[in-house]
Amino acid sequence: MPGVRRKKGAAKDPGLETEALHLPGPDSSDPIEPSSEISIPEMDNDDSDFEEPKAPGKVSRKRQPKGDLTNQPAKKAKRGGKKKDVEEMQSGDDTGSLFDVVKGGKSSLQAVVDEWIESYKSDRDQALLELIQFFIQCSGCKGKISPYMYGNMEHAEIIRKMTEEFDEESGDYPLIMTGPMYKKFKTNYCELVQVLVRQCQYSIIYDQYMMDNVISLLTGLTDSQVRAFRHTSTLAAMKLMTALVDVALNLSINLDNTQRQYEAERQKNQSKRAGERLELLMSKRQELEENQEEIRNMLTYIFKGVFVHRYRDTQPEIRGICMAEIGVWMKKYPNMFLDDAYLKYVGWTLYDKTGEVRLCCLRSLQPLYETEDLATKMELFTNRFKDRIVEMTLDKEYDVAVQAVKLVISVLRFNENVLSDKDCENVYELVYSSHRHVAQAAGEFLNNKLFQRDDEATKNLKSKKGKKRSPNTPLIRDLVQFFIESELHEHGAYLVDSLWDINEMIKDWECMTDLLLEEAGKGEEPLDDRQETSLIEIMVCCVKQAATGESPVGRGPNRKLTVKEVKQVSEEKTKLTEHFIVTLPQLLAKYLMDAEKVTNLLQIPQYFDLEIYTTSRQEKSLEALLRYLHEIVEKHTDMEVLEACSKVFESLCSDEFAIAGKCDVARSTLIDSLAVKFKEAMQDFFAEGEQPDDDDTFTLVASLKRIYAFYNCHNLSSWNLWDDLFHIVRTASENNAIPEEVVCKSIAACSMAVLWYLQKVDGEASPDKNEVLLLKKRLEQLMRHSQELLFHPVNRVDEEAFITICDLLVVFSKQIAETNPLLKCLVYESDKNLQGQLSGFLTDKVFVEDDDDDLDENVKIEELHKKRNFLASFCKLIVYNIVHIRTAAEMFKHYMKFYNDYGDIIKATLSKAREINKVATAKTLVLSLTQMFKDVQSEQQTIDRSSDSFQSIKELARRFALSFGLDQLKNREAVAALHKEGIVFSLTGQENPPTSDNPPPNLPFLEILSEFTNKLMKQDKKTVVNYLDKSLSGGVPSNRGDDWQPLLTYRNSLVQGEAEIHPITLRPAIPAKPVSRGMKRKQPDGSVHDDNQWGSKEGRRTSCWHGWPASVV
């Protein structure tokens, strides 16, 4: 290429790194990266549009000899005559420019590039100027390059001029702008660069002018401090390199074809050989080799001049572009790029602090592991960065974690032994992740490792009776064993969801039930008890997901199913119903006495398509199911089993199905039996003159459990059980000897009975007056005795009474009259006594520190859950405005102390209370603080303001102040009321007027109140100061000691920054001369004060409250 001028920037020294990062240079063959702390540069400001400049170096335009594009830049001779040094920069785009075409996106880029090529052939300087202007405009720069500038200025000078014209304030440029105009800009921009190279690949790119100038300009722009230039030019340079890779591939193919043709021609006999053709082929081969070398030089130059610097740019989007494109080069042109000298950059960037960049790295590596030829070349890289890739499966960015798991799967495809068992276990555990995409990716990994079906090995597998086993049988066994070994029981639904769309064994109902019902055949091991329990749990989870199409709770929001998915769910529901209608009675019969297994099995009928009982003529199966349900209820006393049976009957007795009549008869028969046994147990337990023994107690408890379980789902009012149930409650409030289990179940059953009575009268258009009065009587009786049971010595009893009272107060609140005015008499309002008892219950049972460190962790969690339930029950009364907000004062006291356990509940309650009444809530917060202050007073004779207890009150006040937010106007009345209440409390509490030796006992509270000063509006601060001064009967004593410091602190916080009100200090004040009544006196700030204003009652009220919100006054 000698003799052709070109404009070219000086090659950068690959070892010159301007960012402070200790990485080997790109020429280094060492693939080892530094530690993750320094792998990626620390950026002070990621959002900055500017980057620190590299070491100064001028981009020259010297000519470079052919074959060495990296070290000897060339300079182009000046063109044209004398012109102005610099033409004035212009704003605005030329209509029909390349930029307009790309931005508009309506023209064919192929046609645009062809037109540009014709222009280049006519006048290459003008065409190249247009192309350079295009890159400048695409960066968002409005500056214009004149022909004179292009002909007489270096690229570095041009870029500097364009930088001066750049609009630095907006920060926007086309690549990051949104809106319909820029919707396809990035795609069109990248495509134009690639089409340009593709159309020029046979001649123009080898003319040592066009490509040299474009590469020189882009390299200079990527070194700019302006983010827009760097981002736009880096994208163009990387896409240009990708297009050149495509050219190199074409050259490689053509070279191979030419070489084959040459060898074939040369091997012919001398007589048949064509000498001219041999020379032609040899000449063509030589030309292709030269072109290939030229392209490789270009690729090497761009890589060292752009990629090596920009792959660690301060902006993550620029780093991401580099990582995305290098993966393309490695995939397309592995002979050059799939080498450790290039792979190391991807490996280092796996430690990038930005998730999107890490994701680009993983996506670049993914295709390289999907073909065996490329995967074998990755061995050194895999061994070096395997641990990091496995570590990234736990990435905080879920998209990165998902991609990391997928990459691990690909890595294992051609190298099964690369991961250790520990590495695999780390990925296995992700099937229980709360993020569904991560869990499903881990499920695919688990499936590839453990659940590959082998039909050949299972073709002769049979049960003891000779029934052929499903090919999925070994997989189901492995799944059960994995579930057991993972030790995460009660999370079977998560495991099932992870494998749902991956392995068909999850829906192989017959395989599962055969493993449970059929005896093990020859060569099989029977399932042990734990395996059977786990298999049943997994099977039930599969049934639920198949019948509902819903993911487990906690795996993200359940989206609405598509029409296709609804149809699929319906088909799956039919299949599982047809299978389990027959097999479920057999399973219940086998595991009848096993409470855990039966509880799980009884979940299955709730997902049946019950119409199939009729359409498939399965009456006998239905009768068998009802018979076993009856038997289970009579033989079990476990509440979970009984509640499951009750729910099954609820489903079967639904009126929309034809089987409802038969099921209703079975249910009534069962409840008749339960009612009779309950009444008999009552007679035996409460027999006169006899003390109940253990058998009597057990029988009554068992009957009460069954009654309560069915009361939860069925209306038992027609069996007249109220009198017996309430008799137990009434007796328990008088006699503490009744067993706690009996009392608790009786209270709960009575509560359910009241709710069923309410449902009956509420459902009638004109309810019977006597029935309403009877319900009111029973409600009042139950509430009265439950209130007495709040003081029962047994914990379980008073806890059940508390929950019952809270629930019934919500149900029978004022809203019941709003929905049905005929039920107004049923409204139950709590008195102050009851509210105080409920609040006291929280103090005794909830806000208690757990000092027992020996308790099992699971027990502690259950205990905390129970306490949170108590607190939530009480908070509902506040939120629904059933009890006064002031009742919550005791609860708010513990906000900070128990923040970790109950902070979320208390915070939500405080927020809802403000929506009801801001002023009342503010007064309640002050009440909480004053109660805590009194507690400290009772402990300390004199308040020590430096003590931990006092500082804890200040910390609570600070947290309360933060809860008011930043909108002072919205909270104006509430904050004003808060200060008024605080001042009144602080300055009262003693009979004699305060003196210098005798300050008000509550005065230190003002220091706590000062935490709320910044929530006052400016005009209200003046009013508060006036009110504070007036409230001080006798004023501030002249001889002020340290005891008066809280007053000074509070007052100074109010007047801080107010020129017209001077703060007061600890220095003695100058005594004022006595002023007679009715005279005016001059204030220390120079204002004139009229004593008459303060003398009259009207004057005092006006001065104190002037400017305060009316509601506070």
Coordinates of all heavy atoms in Angstrom, one line a residue, residues 139-174:
S139 N -22.7 11.6 18.2 CA -22.3 11.8 19.6 C -23.1 12.9 20.3 O -22.9 13.2 21.5 CB -20.8 12.1 19.7 OG -20.0 11.1 19.1
G140 N -23.9 13.6 19.5 CA -24.7 14.6 20.1 C -24.1 16.0 20.0 O -24.6 17.0 20.6
C141 N -23.0 16.1 19.3 CA -22.3 17.4 19.1 C -22.8 18.1 17.9 O -23.0 17.6 16.9 CB -20.8 17.1 18.9 SG -19.8 18.6 18.7
K142 N -23.1 19.4 18.2 CA -23.7 20.2 17.1 C -22.6 20.9 16.2 O -23.0 21.6 15.3 CB -24.6 21.3 17.7 CG -25.8 20.8 18.5 CD -26.7 20.0 17.7 CE -27.9 19.5 18.5 NZ -28.8 18.7 17.8
G143 N -21.4 20.8 16.6 CA -20.3 21.4 15.9 C -20.2 20.9 14.5 O -20.5 19.7 14.2
K144 N -19.6 21.7 13.6 CA -19.5 21.3 12.2 C -18.1 21.4 11.7 O -17.4 22.4 12.0 CB -20.4 22.3 11.3 CG -20.5 21.9 9.9 CD -21.9 21.6 9.5 CE -22.1 21.2 8.1 NZ -23.4 21.4 7.6
I145 N -17.6 20.4 11.0 CA -16.2 20.3 10.5 C -16.2 20.9 9.1 O -16.9 20.4 8.2 CB -15.7 18.9 10.5 CG1 -15.8 18.3 11.9 CG2 -14.3 18.9 10.1 CD1 -15.5 16.8 12.0
S146 N -15.5 21.9 8.9 CA -15.4 22.5 7.6 C -14.4 21.8 6.8 O -13.5 21.1 7.3 CB -15.0 24.0 7.7 OG -13.6 24.1 8.2
P147 N -14.4 21.9 5.4 CA -13.4 21.3 4.6 C -12.0 21.7 4.9 O -11.0 21.0 4.9 CB -13.8 21.7 3.2 CG -15.3 21.9 3.3 CD -15.5 22.5 4.6
Y148 N -11.9 23.0 5.3 CA -10.6 23.6 5.6 C -10.0 22.9 6.9 O -8.8 22.5 7.0 CB -10.6 25.1 5.8 CG -9.3 25.7 6.2 CD1 -8.3 25.9 5.2 CD2 -9.0 26.0 7.5 CE1 -7.1 26.4 5.5 CE2 -7.8 26.5 7.8 CZ -6.8 26.7 6.8 OH -5.6 27.2 7.2
M149 N -10.9 22.7 7.9 CA -10.5 22.1 9.1 C -10.0 20.7 8.8 O -9.0 20.2 9.3 CB -11.6 22.1 10.2 CG -12.0 23.4 10.7 SD -13.5 23.3 11.7 CE -13.1 22.2 12.9
Y150 N -10.8 20.0 8.0 CA -10.5 18.6 7.7 C -9.2 18.5 7.0 O -8.4 17.6 7.2 CB -11.6 18.0 6.8 CG -11.3 16.6 6.3 CD1 -11.3 15.5 7.1 CD2 -11.0 16.4 5.0 CE1 -10.9 14.3 6.7 CE2 -10.7 15.2 4.5 CZ -10.6 14.1 5.3 OH -10.3 12.9 4.8
G151 N -8.9 19.4 6.1 CA -7.7 19.4 5.3 C -6.4 19.8 6.0 O -5.3 19.5 5.6
N152 N -6.6 20.7 7.1 CA -5.4 21.3 7.6 C -5.2 21.0 9.1 O -4.3 21.6 9.7 CB -5.5 22.8 7.4 CG -5.4 23.2 5.9 OD1 -4.3 23.3 5.4 ND2 -6.5 23.3 5.3
M153 N -6.1 20.3 9.7 CA -6.0 20.1 11.2 C -5.8 18.6 11.5 O -6.4 17.7 10.8 CB -7.2 20.6 11.9 CG -7.4 22.1 11.8 SD -8.9 22.7 12.5 CE -8.7 22.4 14.2
E154 N -5.1 18.3 12.5 CA -4.9 16.9 13.0 C -6.3 16.4 13.5 O -7.1 17.2 13.9 CB -3.9 16.8 14.0 CG -2.5 17.3 13.7 CD -1.8 16.4 12.7 OE1 -2.3 15.2 12.6 OE2 -0.8 16.8 12.1
H155 N -6.5 15.1 13.6 CA -7.7 14.6 14.2 C -7.8 15.0 15.6 O -8.9 15.3 16.1 CB -7.7 13.1 14.1 CG -8.1 12.5 12.8 ND1 -7.7 11.3 12.3 CD2 -8.8 13.1 11.7 CE1 -8.2 11.1 11.1 NE2 -8.8 12.2 10.7
A156 N -6.7 15.1 16.4 CA -6.8 15.5 17.8 C -7.3 16.9 17.9 O -8.0 17.3 18.8 CB -5.4 15.3 18.4
E157 N -6.8 17.8 17.0 CA -7.3 19.2 17.0 C -8.7 19.3 16.7 O -9.5 20.1 17.3 CB -6.4 20.0 16.0 CG -4.9 20.1 16.3 CD -4.2 20.9 15.3 OE1 -4.4 22.1 15.1 OE2 -3.4 20.2 14.6
I158 N -9.2 18.5 15.7 CA -10.6 18.5 15.3 C -11.4 18.1 16.5 O -12.5 18.7 16.8 CB -10.8 17.6 14.1 CG1 -10.2 18.2 12.8 CG2 -12.3 17.4 13.9 CD1 -10.2 17.3 11.6
I159 N -11.0 17.0 17.2 CA -11.8 16.5 18.3 C -11.8 17.6 19.4 O -12.8 17.8 20.1 CB -11.2 15.2 18.8 CG1 -11.4 14.1 17.8 CG2 -11.8 14.8 20.2 CD1 -10.6 12.8 18.1
R160 N -10.7 18.3 19.6 CA -10.6 19.3 20.6 C -11.6 20.4 20.3 O -12.3 20.9 21.2 CB -9.2 19.9 20.7 CG -9.0 20.7 22.0 CD -7.5 21.1 22.1 NE -6.6 20.0 22.0 CZ -5.7 19.8 21.1 NH1 -5.6 20.7 20.1 NH2 -4.9 18.8 21.1
K161 N -11.7 20.8 19.0 CA -12.7 21.9 18.6 C -14.1 21.4 18.8 O -15.0 22.2 19.3 CB -12.4 22.2 17.1 CG -11.3 23.2 16.9 CD -11.6 24.6 17.4 CE -10.4 25.5 17.1 NZ -10.7 26.9 17.7
M162 N -14.3 20.2 18.5 CA -15.7 19.6 18.7 C -16.1 19.5 20.2 O -17.2 19.8 20.5 CB -15.8 18.2 18.0 CG -15.7 18.2 16.5 SD -16.9 19.2 15.7 CE -16.0 20.7 15.3
T163 N -15.1 19.2 21.0 CA -15.4 19.2 22.4 C -15.8 20.6 22.9 O -16.7 20.7 23.8 CB -14.1 18.7 23.2 OG1 -13.7 17.4 22.7 CG2 -14.3 18.6 24.7
E164 N -15.2 21.6 22.4 CA -15.5 23.0 22.8 C -16.9 23.3 22.4 O -17.6 24.1 23.1 CB -14.6 24.0 22.2 CG -13.1 23.9 22.7 CD -12.2 24.7 21.9 OE1 -12.6 25.4 21.0 OE2 -10.9 24.7 22.3
E165 N -17.4 22.7 21.4 CA -18.8 23.0 20.9 C -19.8 22.1 21.5 O -21.0 22.2 21.3 CB -18.8 22.8 19.4 CG -18.1 23.8 18.6 CD -18.7 25.2 18.8 OE1 -20.0 25.3 18.7 OE2 -18.0 26.2 19.1
F166 N -19.4 21.2 22.4 CA -20.3 20.2 22.9 C -21.2 20.8 24.0 O -20.7 21.6 24.9 CB -19.5 19.0 23.5 CG -20.4 17.7 23.5 CD1 -20.3 16.9 22.5 CD2 -21.2 17.5 24.6 CE1 -21.1 15.7 22.5 CE2 -21.9 16.3 24.6 CZ -21.9 15.4 23.6
D167 N -22.4 20.5 24.0 CA -23.4 21.0 25.1 C -23.2 20.1 26.3 O -23.8 19.0 26.4 CB -24.8 20.9 24.5 CG -25.8 21.5 25.6 OD1 -25.3 22.1 26.6 OD2 -27.0 21.3 25.4
E168 N -22.4 20.6 27.2 CA -22.1 19.8 28.4 C -23.2 19.7 29.4 O -23.3 18.9 30.3 CB -20.8 20.3 29.1 CG -19.6 20.3 28.2 CD -18.4 21.0 28.8 OE1 -18.5 21.4 29.9 OE2 -17.4 21.2 28.1
E169 N -24.1 20.7 29.4 CA -25.1 20.8 30.4 C -26.2 19.7 30.3 O -26.6 19.2 31.3 CB -25.8 22.2 30.4 CG -24.8 23.3 30.7 CD -25.5 24.7 30.7 OE1 -26.7 24.7 30.4 OE2 -24.8 25.7 30.9
S170 N -26.6 19.4 29.1 CA -27.7 18.5 29.0 C -27.3 17.1 29.4 O -28.1 16.4 30.0 CB -28.3 18.5 27.6 OG -27.3 18.0 26.7
G171 N -26.1 16.7 28.9 CA -25.7 15.3 29.2 C -26.3 14.2 28.4 O -26.0 13.1 28.4
D172 N -27.3 14.6 27.5 CA -28.0 13.7 26.7 C -27.3 13.6 25.3 O -26.8 14.6 24.8 CB -29.5 14.0 26.4 CG -30.3 13.7 27.6 OD1 -29.9 12.9 28.4 OD2 -31.4 14.2 27.8
Y173 N -27.3 12.4 24.7 CA -26.8 12.2 23.4 C -27.6 11.0 22.8 O -28.2 10.3 23.5 CB -25.3 12.0 23.4 CG -24.8 10.9 24.3 CD1 -24.6 9.6 23.8 CD2 -24.6 11.2 25.6 CE1 -24.1 8.6 24.7 CE2 -24.1 10.2 26.5 CZ -23.9 8.9 26.0 OH -23.4 7.9 26.8
P174 N -27.6 10.9 21.5 CA -28.6 10.0 20.8 C -28.6 8.6 21.3 O -29.6 8.0 21.4 CB -28.1 10.0 19.3 CG -27.6 11.4 19.2 CD -26.9 11.8 20.5

